[in-house]
Every structure is written in C-alpha cells, then in structure tokens.
Amino acid sequence: AAAAAAAATTAKEEQPPRPVEEGARQQGAAQVTTDAKMAAFQQAAAGAALRRAQRQVEQRAAAQRCVLGRRYQLLLSVRFFQRPMLPVLQALVAEGGFFLLCHFLQGAERVCGHPSQPDELVAPGELRAAFPPHAWIIHHCDEHTPLPDTRPFVRFLAQRRKS
C-alpha cells in the first residue's frame, strides 16, 4: 500500500500543470509586468517633472546673474515664453521702457501639433493679468489674429509706467 501511495505521489508530481493553473500563473505574471511598467512610467514622469523644475530655477538664476542691475528700454520676446521667467523679464524693463511679446496661445498645439508643451503656451488673458495697470500701460494685446497657418498667436506690447 505504501508503494502504491508513493507511486501515486510521484505520478502527481510528474503531471504537467492543468491549463487553468497555467492561465492563472500567466495572468499573475502579466499583472506583475503591468505593475512594474506602471511604476517605471510613474518614476520616469516624476523625474522629468523634477528636471523641468530644476531647469526653470537654473534659467531664472542665470538670467538674474547676467543682468543684475541693468534695465532696458526695449525687451523683445518672440516665440519664447517661459512662465517662470516672466517676472525676471519684467524687472529688466526700465521706467518708460517697453516689453513686446509675440507667442503662441493655448490651442496652437491642436492645429499642427507644436508647440506642444502646455506650460510653454500663453493662456488667453494671461499677459493682461501679469502686467498690472498700476505699473504698466498696455498699448496692444491682440489675441484674436491667428498666424497664416491658423495657429492662435498673441501680440502684446506694454510700457512700464514712470514713477
């Protein structure tokens, strides 16, 4: 009887896994793989956000070092918009000086795919709000005339008030 039980146990150990068990094992492996991919994606996204924030801080610090104490009569920014740099650029304009900015508005990414970074697109009304009337005279703000390729574009001109 003991020999028969041992033979039955050996036969069970040598049997291939049943299809249901194999499917469950594969599904578990797929879940682990999906979880690992999601974790890797989240880690990469967090790393990219951190690098972007560090780059913005470095740009602001570099701009402040380069122009410390200088003021200009005209500051011109065409197709360049870094939101964190806006206060630095404003500070560079002398009393009575002008700030001219021409850049893409939000929605430009839907027309032809670029520029595609939402944080690099001007929101409608954003520039008017960023240049308070007690410190700036807004001479021109056109947010309604698109470029010939139909991408929305802003043309903005403000003058720093004299004290």
Side-chain angles (χ1 to χ4, degrees), residues 81-138:
F81 181 73
Q82 294 287 321
R83 197 166 277 107
M85 292 293 294
L86 192 55
V88 174
L89 298 175
Q90 290 172 317
L92 294 175
V93 179
E95 287 186 2
F98 293 88
F99 184 95
L100 176 65
L101 185 135
C102 300
H103 193 67
F104 299 100
L105 281 169
Q106 289 176 348
E109 73 282 8
R110 291 189 295 265
V111 175
C112 68
H114 63 278
S116 61
Q117 299 299 321
D119 58 336
E120 295 179 3
L121 297 170
V122 178
E126 179 177 6
L127 294 175
R128 282 191 181 275
F131 288 80
H134 70 275
W136 296 89
I137 302 166
I138 298 175

Side-chain angles (χ1 to χ4, degrees), residues 36-51:
K37 286 180 182 177
M38 181 57 82
F41 174 75
Q42 290 171 339
Q43 186 177 11
L50 178 61
R51 285 190 299 278

Side-chain angles (χ1 to χ4, degrees), residues 42-62:
Q42 290 171 339
Q43 186 177 11
L50 178 61
R51 285 190 299 278
R52 188 169 41 253
Q54 288 172 331
R55 187 172 55 248
Q56 290 173 348
V57 168
E58 290 167 0
Q59 287 173 342
R60 183 179 287 182

